[in-house]
Amino acid sequence: MIESKNIIVNIKNRLAFTNLEFQYILKCLIGVSVCYIPYVLVPQHEFYWSIISVLLVLAPDHSDSNRLAMDRMKANVIGSVVGLLAFLFLEHVPVLVVLCIAVIVNILICYMLGLESATRSALAALVIVLIQEKERSSWASGFERMGCVIVGCLIAIIITYIFSRFEKMRNGRNSVSESIEK
């Protein structure tokens, strides 16, 4: 009986959203909505990759969210470029070998640039750009996917910046009003 009561209390506590969780949900919804526009308006291009990219870059908290978003964007660009360059070897080397080498190169570049926390974003971008359907597998298609990934990253950076500006304004007002009250 005590165990089930603890479970219910734990679930209840988890369902109590804070302002931070609400803001993260809002950022994700805005990002998905903005990326959905080119997805619908330009169906011949693969803008669904922008939707994935925006969600990979957005951070759920405010501490270092600008830095983290920038790091994830850099990592996405690294992953996209490595994936694009890996196309050079696809005609002569099996896809799995190229993919494995590209994963290693991606991780090494991220570590050399101090982007360890964003390495997963780089790997996701690598796979997005490199792994393609046989009928569309081309350098141009990889370049298009890279562009779509970068569009999603840019949208995420803009959203992060706007939310951080609002947070700074809100904190600035709170600290001013608190000092007035004292």
Side-chain angles (χ1 to χ4, degrees):
M1 182 67 177
I2 293 174
E3 246 180 74
S4 62
K5 185 177 181 181
N6 288 339
I7 292 171
I8 292 170
V9 168
N10 192 15
I11 291 171
K12 183 180 174 186
N13 289 338
R14 286 285 182 184
L15 291 176
F17 289 113
T18 65
N19 187 33
L20 193 61
E21 285 124 0
F22 176 74
Q23 285 183 23
Y24 181 57
I25 290 169
L26 188 58
K27 284 194 274 187
C28 289
L29 291 176
I30 292 169
V32 166
S33 299
V34 171
C35 288
Y36 190 75
I37 293 168
Y39 171 72
V40 171
L41 294 179
V42 194
Q44 65 271 23
H45 297 290
E46 300 177 328
F47 277 105
Y48 51 88
W49 297 117
S50 297
I51 298 170
I52 293 170
S53 197
V54 76
L55 294 173
L56 281 172
V57 172
L58 290 171
D61 60 358
H62 292 298
S63 62
D64 288 339
S65 64
N66 288 340
R67 184 194 57 78
L68 186 58
M70 285 302 291
D71 285 354
R72 288 179 179 170
M73 181 177 165
K74 291 174 194 173
N76 269 286
V77 172
I78 290 167
S80 295
V81 170
V82 170
L84 206 53
L85 292 174
F87 264 106
L88 298 172
F89 303 102
L90 280 179
E91 289 184 34
H92 310 292
V93 182
V95 174
L96 180 59
V97 173
V98 172
L99 181 60
C100 289
I101 292 170
V103 165
I104 293 168
V105 168
N106 223 339
I107 292 170
L108 292 176
I109 291 172
C110 285
Y111 274 79
M112 286 188 300
L113 296 176
L115 299 171
E116 296 89 353
S117 64
T119 303
R120 289 179 299 178
S121 292
L123 294 171
L126 167 75
V127 172
I128 288 170
V129 172
L130 188 60
I131 301 297
Q132 301 182 21
E133 305 81 26
K134 291 282 186 204
E135 63 273 358
R136 285 209 52 175
S137 185
S138 72
W139 176 269
S141 180
F143 193 73
E144 178 183 331
R145 286 183 181 202
M146 181 178 132
C148 291
V149 165
I150 292 171
V151 166
C153 290
L154 290 172
I155 290 168
I157 292 294
I158 292 167
I159 291 168
T160 300
Y161 177 76
I162 291 169
F163 271 78
S164 70
R165 295 298 298 173
F166 281 133
E167 188 64 24
K168 284 180 184 177
M169 288 179 2
R170 198 176 122 244
N171 287 338
R173 286 187 195 141
N174 288 345
S175 61
V176 170
S177 63
E178 288 172 7
S179 64
I180 292 172
E181 289 174 7
K182 290 181 182 178

mmCIF file of all heavy atoms in Angstrom, residues 28-74:
data_model
loop_
_atom_site.group_PDB
_atom_site.id
_atom_site.type_symbol
_atom_site.label_atom_id
_atom_site.label_comp_id
_atom_site.label_asym_id
_atom_site.label_seq_id
_atom_site.Cartn_x
_atom_site.Cartn_y
_atom_site.Cartn_z
ATOM 1 N N CYS A 28 9.576 24.257 -28.576
ATOM 2 C CA CYS A 28 9.480 23.137 -29.527
ATOM 3 C C CYS A 28 8.290 23.306 -30.463
ATOM 4 O O CYS A 28 8.407 23.060 -31.670
ATOM 5 C CB CYS A 28 9.396 21.810 -28.781
ATOM 6 S SG CYS A 28 10.941 21.327 -27.991
ATOM 7 N N LEU A 29 7.159 23.732 -29.923
ATOM 8 C CA LEU A 29 5.974 23.931 -30.763
ATOM 9 C C LEU A 29 6.191 25.049 -31.779
ATOM 10 O O LEU A 29 5.796 24.926 -32.944
ATOM 11 C CB LEU A 29 4.746 24.229 -29.897
ATOM 12 C CG LEU A 29 4.237 23.063 -29.048
ATOM 13 C CD1 LEU A 29 3.085 23.514 -28.162
ATOM 14 C CD2 LEU A 29 3.847 21.879 -29.902
ATOM 15 N N ILE A 30 6.823 26.127 -31.359
ATOM 16 C CA ILE A 30 7.123 27.221 -32.282
ATOM 17 C C ILE A 30 8.089 26.735 -33.359
ATOM 18 O O ILE A 30 7.886 26.986 -34.554
ATOM 19 C CB ILE A 30 7.699 28.443 -31.528
ATOM 20 C CG1 ILE A 30 6.624 29.076 -30.649
ATOM 21 C CG2 ILE A 30 8.277 29.465 -32.506
ATOM 22 C CD1 ILE A 30 7.153 30.115 -29.666
ATOM 23 N N GLY A 31 9.143 26.028 -32.949
ATOM 24 C CA GLY A 31 10.124 25.512 -33.907
ATOM 25 C C GLY A 31 9.515 24.574 -34.924
ATOM 26 O O GLY A 31 9.756 24.697 -36.129
ATOM 27 N N VAL A 32 8.698 23.637 -34.458
ATOM 28 C CA VAL A 32 8.036 22.700 -35.363
ATOM 29 C C VAL A 32 7.101 23.450 -36.314
ATOM 30 O O VAL A 32 7.076 23.179 -37.516
ATOM 31 C CB VAL A 32 7.264 21.625 -34.562
ATOM 32 C CG1 VAL A 32 6.304 20.844 -35.444
ATOM 33 C CG2 VAL A 32 8.238 20.676 -33.874
ATOM 34 N N SER A 33 6.360 24.411 -35.781
ATOM 35 C CA SER A 33 5.410 25.165 -36.608
ATOM 36 C C SER A 33 6.120 25.979 -37.685
ATOM 37 O O SER A 33 5.693 25.993 -38.843
ATOM 38 C CB SER A 33 4.573 26.092 -35.732
ATOM 39 O OG SER A 33 3.833 25.343 -34.801
ATOM 40 N N VAL A 34 7.199 26.653 -37.310
ATOM 41 C CA VAL A 34 7.929 27.468 -38.281
ATOM 42 C C VAL A 34 8.564 26.577 -39.354
ATOM 43 O O VAL A 34 8.518 26.896 -40.547
ATOM 44 C CB VAL A 34 9.004 28.337 -37.578
ATOM 45 C CG1 VAL A 34 9.909 29.014 -38.584
ATOM 46 C CG2 VAL A 34 8.330 29.383 -36.692
ATOM 47 N N CYS A 35 9.130 25.450 -38.957
ATOM 48 C CA CYS A 35 9.750 24.540 -39.931
ATOM 49 C C CYS A 35 8.713 23.823 -40.798
ATOM 50 O O CYS A 35 9.017 23.384 -41.905
ATOM 51 C CB CYS A 35 10.630 23.510 -39.220
ATOM 52 S SG CYS A 35 12.139 24.212 -38.551
ATOM 53 N N TYR A 36 7.520 23.707 -40.282
ATOM 54 C CA TYR A 36 6.459 23.044 -41.045
ATOM 55 C C TYR A 36 6.023 23.880 -42.247
ATOM 56 O O TYR A 36 5.591 23.332 -43.268
ATOM 57 C CB TYR A 36 5.263 22.768 -40.121
ATOM 58 C CG TYR A 36 4.218 21.878 -40.728
ATOM 59 C CD1 TYR A 36 4.442 20.505 -40.843
ATOM 60 C CD2 TYR A 36 3.013 22.392 -41.189
ATOM 61 C CE1 TYR A 36 3.474 19.684 -41.394
ATOM 62 C CE2 TYR A 36 2.049 21.579 -41.744
ATOM 63 C CZ TYR A 36 2.286 20.230 -41.844
ATOM 64 O OH TYR A 36 1.333 19.405 -42.398
ATOM 65 N N ILE A 37 6.170 25.196 -42.144
ATOM 66 C CA ILE A 37 5.752 26.093 -43.233
ATOM 67 C C ILE A 37 6.486 25.773 -44.531
ATOM 68 O O ILE A 37 5.841 25.528 -45.555
ATOM 69 C CB ILE A 37 5.895 27.573 -42.812
ATOM 70 C CG1 ILE A 37 4.895 27.886 -41.689
ATOM 71 C CG2 ILE A 37 5.703 28.509 -43.995
ATOM 72 C CD1 ILE A 37 5.127 29.216 -40.997
ATOM 73 N N PRO A 38 7.836 25.757 -44.559
ATOM 74 C CA PRO A 38 8.494 25.399 -45.825
ATOM 75 C C PRO A 38 8.251 23.939 -46.223
ATOM 76 O O PRO A 38 8.229 23.616 -47.409
ATOM 77 C CB PRO A 38 9.976 25.664 -45.576
ATOM 78 C CG PRO A 38 10.136 25.723 -44.107
ATOM 79 C CD PRO A 38 8.819 26.148 -43.547
ATOM 80 N N TYR A 39 8.038 23.080 -45.234
ATOM 81 C CA TYR A 39 7.729 21.681 -45.532
ATOM 82 C C TYR A 39 6.457 21.580 -46.372
ATOM 83 O O TYR A 39 6.387 20.808 -47.327
ATOM 84 C CB TYR A 39 7.584 20.904 -44.219
ATOM 85 C CG TYR A 39 7.056 19.507 -44.381
ATOM 86 C CD1 TYR A 39 7.842 18.502 -44.926
ATOM 87 C CD2 TYR A 39 5.768 19.188 -43.981
ATOM 88 C CE1 TYR A 39 7.353 17.209 -45.074
ATOM 89 C CE2 TYR A 39 5.266 17.902 -44.118
ATOM 90 C CZ TYR A 39 6.065 16.925 -44.667
ATOM 91 O OH TYR A 39 5.577 15.643 -44.816
ATOM 92 N N VAL A 40 5.469 22.392 -46.049
ATOM 93 C CA VAL A 40 4.197 22.378 -46.784
ATOM 94 C C VAL A 40 4.288 23.194 -48.067
ATOM 95 O O VAL A 40 3.803 22.771 -49.123
ATOM 96 C CB VAL A 40 3.046 22.905 -45.888
ATOM 97 C CG1 VAL A 40 1.780 23.118 -46.682
ATOM 98 C CG2 VAL A 40 2.797 21.955 -44.739
ATOM 99 N N LEU A 41 4.926 24.369 -47.991
ATOM 100 C CA LEU A 41 4.967 25.266 -49.144
ATOM 101 C C LEU A 41 5.925 24.807 -50.248
ATOM 102 O O LEU A 41 5.720 25.146 -51.410
ATOM 103 C CB LEU A 41 5.351 26.685 -48.695
ATOM 104 C CG LEU A 41 4.347 27.400 -47.804
ATOM 105 C CD1 LEU A 41 4.869 28.776 -47.410
ATOM 106 C CD2 LEU A 41 2.990 27.516 -48.497
ATOM 107 N N VAL A 42 6.945 24.065 -49.887
ATOM 108 C CA VAL A 42 7.944 23.623 -50.864
ATOM 109 C C VAL A 42 8.098 22.102 -50.744
ATOM 110 O O VAL A 42 9.124 21.601 -50.289
ATOM 111 C CB VAL A 42 9.301 24.332 -50.631
ATOM 112 C CG1 VAL A 42 10.214 24.153 -51.828
ATOM 113 C CG2 VAL A 42 9.125 25.803 -50.325
ATOM 114 N N PRO A 43 7.081 21.351 -51.156
ATOM 115 C CA PRO A 43 7.083 19.902 -50.925
ATOM 116 C C PRO A 43 8.156 19.143 -51.710
ATOM 117 O O PRO A 43 8.483 18.005 -51.355
ATOM 118 C CB PRO A 43 5.673 19.470 -51.357
ATOM 119 C CG PRO A 43 5.209 20.542 -52.272
ATOM 120 C CD PRO A 43 5.868 21.807 -51.828
ATOM 121 N N GLN A 44 8.708 19.748 -52.749
ATOM 122 C CA GLN A 44 9.727 19.041 -53.525
ATOM 123 C C GLN A 44 11.072 18.989 -52.786
ATOM 124 O O GLN A 44 11.974 18.275 -53.194
ATOM 125 C CB GLN A 44 9.899 19.653 -54.920
ATOM 126 C CG GLN A 44 10.441 21.059 -54.942
ATOM 127 C CD GLN A 44 9.364 22.126 -54.855
ATOM 128 O OE1 GLN A 44 8.268 21.899 -54.372
ATOM 129 N NE2 GLN A 44 9.700 23.315 -55.326
ATOM 130 N N HIS A 45 11.206 19.737 -51.683
ATOM 131 C CA HIS A 45 12.427 19.707 -50.879
ATOM 132 C C HIS A 45 12.141 19.027 -49.547
ATOM 133 O O HIS A 45 11.009 19.001 -49.083
ATOM 134 C CB HIS A 45 12.971 21.119 -50.668
ATOM 135 C CG HIS A 45 13.362 21.778 -51.957
ATOM 136 N ND1 HIS A 45 14.455 21.393 -52.699
ATOM 137 C CD2 HIS A 45 12.778 22.783 -52.647
ATOM 138 C CE1 HIS A 45 14.537 22.137 -53.786
ATOM 139 N NE2 HIS A 45 13.520 22.983 -53.786
ATOM 140 N N GLU A 46 13.179 18.500 -48.949
ATOM 141 C CA GLU A 46 13.019 17.652 -47.764
ATOM 142 C C GLU A 46 13.097 18.454 -46.460
ATOM 143 O O GLU A 46 13.966 18.216 -45.611
ATOM 144 C CB GLU A 46 14.075 16.549 -47.801
ATOM 145 C CG GLU A 46 13.942 15.676 -49.027
ATOM 146 C CD GLU A 46 15.035 14.624 -49.121
ATOM 147 O OE1 GLU A 46 16.169 14.868 -48.675
ATOM 148 O OE2 GLU A 46 14.731 13.552 -49.641
ATOM 149 N N PHE A 47 12.172 19.378 -46.276
ATOM 150 C CA PHE A 47 12.201 20.235 -45.096
ATOM 151 C C PHE A 47 11.775 19.517 -43.818
ATOM 152 O O PHE A 47 11.850 20.099 -42.741
ATOM 153 C CB PHE A 47 11.360 21.494 -45.315
ATOM 154 C CG PHE A 47 12.101 22.564 -46.052
ATOM 155 C CD1 PHE A 47 11.820 22.816 -47.382
ATOM 156 C CD2 PHE A 47 13.086 23.308 -45.425
ATOM 157 C CE1 PHE A 47 12.511 23.795 -48.074
ATOM 158 C CE2 PHE A 47 13.782 24.283 -46.105
ATOM 159 C CZ PHE A 47 13.491 24.530 -47.437
ATOM 160 N N TYR A 48 11.362 18.260 -43.900
ATOM 161 C CA TYR A 48 11.082 17.531 -42.663
ATOM 162 C C TYR A 48 12.365 17.366 -41.862
ATOM 163 O O TYR A 48 12.338 17.207 -40.643
ATOM 164 C CB TYR A 48 10.389 16.189 -42.920
ATOM 165 C CG TYR A 48 11.050 15.298 -43.931
ATOM 166 C CD1 TYR A 48 12.041 14.405 -43.570
ATOM 167 C CD2 TYR A 48 10.665 15.343 -45.270
ATOM 168 C CE1 TYR A 48 12.638 13.579 -44.505
ATOM 169 C CE2 TYR A 48 11.249 14.523 -46.206
ATOM 170 C CZ TYR A 48 12.239 13.643 -45.825
ATOM 171 O OH TYR A 48 12.831 12.823 -46.745
ATOM 172 N N TRP A 49 13.520 17.444 -42.536
ATOM 173 C CA TRP A 49 14.790 17.374 -41.814
ATOM 174 C C TRP A 49 14.998 18.632 -40.970
ATOM 175 O O TRP A 49 15.673 18.589 -39.942
ATOM 176 C CB TRP A 49 15.951 17.171 -42.776
ATOM 177 C CG TRP A 49 15.863 15.874 -43.502
ATOM 178 C CD1 TRP A 49 15.719 15.691 -44.847
ATOM 179 C CD2 TRP A 49 15.870 14.564 -42.934
ATOM 180 N NE1 TRP A 49 15.642 14.350 -45.147
ATOM 181 C CE2 TRP A 49 15.728 13.635 -43.981
ATOM 182 C CE3 TRP A 49 15.966 14.076 -41.632
ATOM 183 C CZ2 TRP A 49 15.713 12.259 -43.781
ATOM 184 C CZ3 TRP A 49 15.944 12.707 -41.435
ATOM 185 C CH2 TRP A 49 15.818 11.822 -42.495
ATOM 186 N N SER A 50 14.417 19.739 -41.381
ATOM 187 C CA SER A 50 14.485 20.958 -40.575
ATOM 188 C C SER A 50 13.731 20.777 -39.265
ATOM 189 O O SER A 50 14.157 21.269 -38.211
ATOM 190 C CB SER A 50 13.890 22.141 -41.334
ATOM 191 O OG SER A 50 14.623 22.422 -42.485
ATOM 192 N N ILE A 51 12.613 20.082 -39.337
ATOM 193 C CA ILE A 51 11.816 19.838 -38.133
ATOM 194 C C ILE A 51 12.628 19.020 -37.134
ATOM 195 O O ILE A 51 12.685 19.342 -35.942
ATOM 196 C CB ILE A 51 10.483 19.137 -38.488
ATOM 197 C CG1 ILE A 51 9.641 20.033 -39.397
ATOM 198 C CG2 ILE A 51 9.719 18.755 -37.218
ATOM 199 C CD1 ILE A 51 8.416 19.355 -40.003
ATOM 200 N N ILE A 52 13.279 17.976 -37.613
ATOM 201 C CA ILE A 52 14.118 17.150 -36.739
ATOM 202 C C ILE A 52 15.265 17.981 -36.185
ATOM 203 O O ILE A 52 15.579 17.935 -34.993
ATOM 204 C CB ILE A 52 14.643 15.916 -37.509
ATOM 205 C CG1 ILE A 52 13.474 14.993 -37.851
ATOM 206 C CG2 ILE A 52 15.723 15.189 -36.709
ATOM 207 C CD1 ILE A 52 13.821 13.877 -38.808
ATOM 208 N N SER A 53 15.878 18.757 -37.023
ATOM 209 C CA SER A 53 17.023 19.564 -36.636
ATOM 210 C C SER A 53 16.667 20.601 -35.571
ATOM 211 O O SER A 53 17.411 20.786 -34.602
ATOM 212 C CB SER A 53 17.591 20.244 -37.880
ATOM 213 O OG SER A 53 18.873 20.699 -37.662
ATOM 214 N N VAL A 54 15.548 21.272 -35.735
ATOM 215 C CA VAL A 54 15.157 22.290 -34.754
ATOM 216 C C VAL A 54 14.942 21.646 -33.384
ATOM 217 O O VAL A 54 15.314 22.205 -32.349
ATOM 218 C CB VAL A 54 13.917 23.107 -35.213
ATOM 219 C CG1 VAL A 54 12.624 22.343 -35.067
ATOM 220 C CG2 VAL A 54 13.822 24.430 -34.472
ATOM 221 N N LEU A 55 14.389 20.458 -33.361
ATOM 222 C CA LEU A 55 14.147 19.780 -32.084
ATOM 223 C C LEU A 55 15.446 19.276 -31.458
ATOM 224 O O LEU A 55 15.556 19.199 -30.232
ATOM 225 C CB LEU A 55 13.152 18.633 -32.270
ATOM 226 C CG LEU A 55 11.740 19.085 -32.660
ATOM 227 C CD1 LEU A 55 10.870 17.882 -32.992
ATOM 228 C CD2 LEU A 55 11.117 19.932 -31.572
ATOM 229 N N LEU A 56 16.427 18.941 -32.276
ATOM 230 C CA LEU A 56 17.723 18.514 -31.753
ATOM 231 C C LEU A 56 18.499 19.680 -31.140
ATOM 232 O O LEU A 56 19.257 19.496 -30.194
ATOM 233 C CB LEU A 56 18.583 17.896 -32.868
ATOM 234 C CG LEU A 56 18.278 16.469 -33.264
ATOM 235 C CD1 LEU A 56 19.075 16.081 -34.499
ATOM 236 C CD2 LEU A 56 18.581 15.522 -32.120
ATOM 237 N N VAL A 57 18.323 20.863 -31.657
ATOM 238 C CA VAL A 57 19.112 22.009 -31.216
ATOM 239 C C VAL A 57 18.510 22.688 -29.986
ATOM 240 O O VAL A 57 19.238 23.160 -29.120
ATOM 241 C CB VAL A 57 19.290 23.024 -32.374
ATOM 242 C CG1 VAL A 57 19.935 24.308 -31.900
ATOM 243 C CG2 VAL A 57 20.129 22.401 -33.483
ATOM 244 N N LEU A 58 17.200 22.739 -29.881
ATOM 245 C CA LEU A 58 16.571 23.434 -28.752
ATOM 246 C C LEU A 58 16.924 22.763 -27.429
ATOM 247 O O LEU A 58 16.928 21.540 -27.323
ATOM 248 C CB LEU A 58 15.055 23.474 -28.927
ATOM 249 C CG LEU A 58 14.549 24.382 -30.034
ATOM 250 C CD1 LEU A 58 13.053 24.174 -30.259
ATOM 251 C CD2 LEU A 58 14.854 25.840 -29.725
ATOM 252 N N ALA A 59 17.212 23.586 -26.424
ATOM 253 C CA ALA A 59 17.569 23.090 -25.095
ATOM 254 C C ALA A 59 16.419 23.358 -24.128
ATOM 255 O O ALA A 59 15.760 24.395 -24.225
ATOM 256 C CB ALA A 59 18.836 23.783 -24.609
ATOM 257 N N PRO A 60 16.193 22.446 -23.184
ATOM 258 C CA PRO A 60 15.059 22.611 -22.274
ATOM 259 C C PRO A 60 15.260 23.626 -21.159
ATOM 260 O O PRO A 60 14.303 24.039 -20.540
ATOM 261 C CB PRO A 60 14.864 21.212 -21.681
ATOM 262 C CG PRO A 60 16.155 20.529 -21.871
ATOM 263 C CD PRO A 60 16.815 21.140 -23.057
ATOM 264 N N ASP A 61 16.476 24.054 -20.894
ATOM 265 C CA ASP A 61 16.663 24.996 -19.787
ATOM 266 C C ASP A 61 17.349 26.269 -20.254
ATOM 267 O O ASP A 61 17.780 26.377 -21.390
ATOM 268 C CB ASP A 61 17.455 24.348 -18.656
ATOM 269 C CG ASP A 61 18.838 23.900 -19.097
ATOM 270 O OD1 ASP A 61 19.178 24.062 -20.287
ATOM 271 O OD2 ASP A 61 19.580 23.391 -18.258
ATOM 272 N N HIS A 62 17.434 27.236 -19.359
ATOM 273 C CA HIS A 62 18.012 28.535 -19.710
ATOM 274 C C HIS A 62 19.513 28.586 -19.454
ATOM 275 O O HIS A 62 20.206 29.374 -20.054
ATOM 276 C CB HIS A 62 17.343 29.661 -18.934
ATOM 277 C CG HIS A 62 15.926 29.888 -19.333
ATOM 278 N ND1 HIS A 62 15.564 30.263 -20.607
ATOM 279 C CD2 HIS A 62 14.778 29.763 -18.636
ATOM 280 C CE1 HIS A 62 14.250 30.371 -20.669
ATOM 281 N NE2 HIS A 62 13.753 30.068 -19.496
ATOM 282 N N SER A 63 19.996 27.777 -18.521
ATOM 283 C CA SER A 63 21.423 27.845 -18.206
ATOM 284 C C SER A 63 22.214 27.363 -19.409
ATOM 285 O O SER A 63 22.081 26.224 -19.859
ATOM 286 C CB SER A 63 21.741 27.000 -16.974
ATOM 287 O OG SER A 63 21.435 25.653 -17.215
ATOM 288 N N ASP A 64 22.997 28.237 -19.957
ATOM 289 C CA ASP A 64 23.833 27.943 -21.129
ATOM 290 C C ASP A 64 23.030 27.557 -22.368
ATOM 291 O O ASP A 64 23.571 26.935 -23.274
ATOM 292 C CB ASP A 64 24.832 26.824 -20.830
ATOM 293 C CG ASP A 64 25.946 27.277 -19.914
ATOM 294 O OD1 ASP A 64 26.173 28.494 -19.827
ATOM 295 O OD2 ASP A 64 26.590 26.416 -19.291
ATOM 296 N N SER A 65 21.742 27.899 -22.432
ATOM 297 C CA SER A 65 20.947 27.481 -23.593
ATOM 298 C C SER A 65 21.443 28.126 -24.879
ATOM 299 O O SER A 65 21.425 27.498 -25.929
ATOM 300 C CB SER A 65 19.461 27.754 -23.373
ATOM 301 O OG SER A 65 19.219 29.132 -23.248
ATOM 302 N N ASN A 66 21.909 29.384 -24.797
ATOM 303 C CA ASN A 66 22.449 30.021 -26.001
ATOM 304 C C ASN A 66 23.713 29.314 -26.467
ATOM 305 O O ASN A 66 23.873 29.018 -27.645
ATOM 306 C CB ASN A 66 22.752 31.502 -25.745
ATOM 307 C CG ASN A 66 21.491 32.327 -25.620
ATOM 308 O OD1 ASN A 66 20.424 31.929 -26.063
ATOM 309 N ND2 ASN A 66 21.618 33.478 -25.001
ATOM 310 N N ARG A 67 24.623 29.046 -25.525
ATOM 311 C CA ARG A 67 25.864 28.365 -25.869
ATOM 312 C C ARG A 67 25.582 26.952 -26.371
ATOM 313 O O ARG A 67 26.124 26.519 -27.382
ATOM 314 C CB ARG A 67 26.807 28.302 -24.668
ATOM 315 C CG ARG A 67 28.165 27.684 -25.010
ATOM 316 C CD ARG A 67 28.966 27.315 -23.776
ATOM 317 N NE ARG A 67 28.286 26.411 -22.868
ATOM 318 C CZ ARG A 67 28.179 25.089 -23.067
ATOM 319 N NH1 ARG A 67 28.671 24.536 -24.147
ATOM 320 N NH2 ARG A 67 27.554 24.324 -22.187
ATOM 321 N N LEU A 68 24.692 26.257 -25.674
ATOM 322 C CA LEU A 68 24.366 24.896 -26.079
ATOM 323 C C LEU A 68 23.720 24.862 -27.461
ATOM 324 O O LEU A 68 24.052 24.015 -28.294
ATOM 325 C CB LEU A 68 23.450 24.244 -25.045
ATOM 326 C CG LEU A 68 23.127 22.773 -25.235
ATOM 327 C CD1 LEU A 68 24.399 21.932 -25.273
ATOM 328 C CD2 LEU A 68 22.215 22.280 -24.129
ATOM 329 N N ALA A 69 22.822 25.787 -27.725
ATOM 330 C CA ALA A 69 22.185 25.845 -29.047
ATOM 331 C C ALA A 69 23.219 26.136 -30.134
ATOM 332 O O ALA A 69 23.195 25.521 -31.204
ATOM 333 C CB ALA A 69 21.088 26.905 -29.061
ATOM 334 N N MET A 70 24.134 27.055 -29.855
ATOM 335 C CA MET A 70 25.191 27.354 -30.839
ATOM 336 C C MET A 70 26.093 26.143 -31.045
ATOM 337 O O MET A 70 26.466 25.829 -32.180
ATOM 338 C CB MET A 70 26.024 28.561 -30.383
ATOM 339 C CG MET A 70 25.319 29.885 -30.549
ATOM 340 S SD MET A 70 24.812 30.232 -32.252
ATOM 341 C CE MET A 70 26.382 30.484 -33.038
ATOM 342 N N ASP A 71 26.451 25.462 -29.951
ATOM 343 C CA ASP A 71 27.281 24.264 -30.065
ATOM 344 C C ASP A 71 26.578 23.187 -30.883
ATOM 345 O O ASP A 71 27.181 22.531 -31.731
ATOM 346 C CB ASP A 71 27.638 23.705 -28.687
ATOM 347 C CG ASP A 71 28.694 24.530 -27.973
ATOM 348 O OD1 ASP A 71 29.240 25.473 -28.593
ATOM 349 O OD2 ASP A 71 28.964 24.234 -26.787
ATOM 350 N N ARG A 72 25.289 23.011 -30.640
ATOM 351 C CA ARG A 72 24.538 22.006 -31.390
ATOM 352 C C ARG A 72 24.421 22.391 -32.856
ATOM 353 O O ARG A 72 24.453 21.531 -33.732
ATOM 354 C CB ARG A 72 23.158 21.802 -30.767
ATOM 355 C CG ARG A 72 23.222 21.066 -29.457
ATOM 356 C CD ARG A 72 21.858 20.898 -28.850
ATOM 357 N NE ARG A 72 21.934 20.172 -27.594
ATOM 358 C CZ ARG A 72 20.928 20.051 -26.759
ATOM 359 N NH1 ARG A 72 19.754 20.610 -27.034
ATOM 360 N NH2 ARG A 72 21.069 19.384 -25.645
ATOM 361 N N MET A 73 24.285 23.688 -33.123
ATOM 362 C CA MET A 73 24.228 24.128 -34.514
ATOM 363 C C MET A 73 25.572 23.857 -35.198
ATOM 364 O O MET A 73 25.609 23.340 -36.311
ATOM 365 C CB MET A 73 23.883 25.596 -34.613
ATOM 366 C CG MET A 73 23.793 26.050 -36.064
ATOM 367 S SD MET A 73 23.294 27.748 -36.179
ATOM 368 C CE MET A 73 23.721 28.065 -37.875
ATOM 369 N N LYS A 74 26.667 24.212 -34.537
ATOM 370 C CA LYS A 74 27.996 23.932 -35.095
ATOM 371 C C LYS A 74 28.153 22.438 -35.353
ATOM 372 O O LYS A 74 28.667 22.027 -36.397
ATOM 373 C CB LYS A 74 29.093 24.402 -34.134
ATOM 374 C CG LYS A 74 29.203 25.890 -33.982
ATOM 375 C CD LYS A 74 30.224 26.227 -32.899
ATOM 376 C CE LYS A 74 30.145 27.667 -32.473
ATOM 377 N NZ LYS A 74 31.022 27.937 -31.314
#
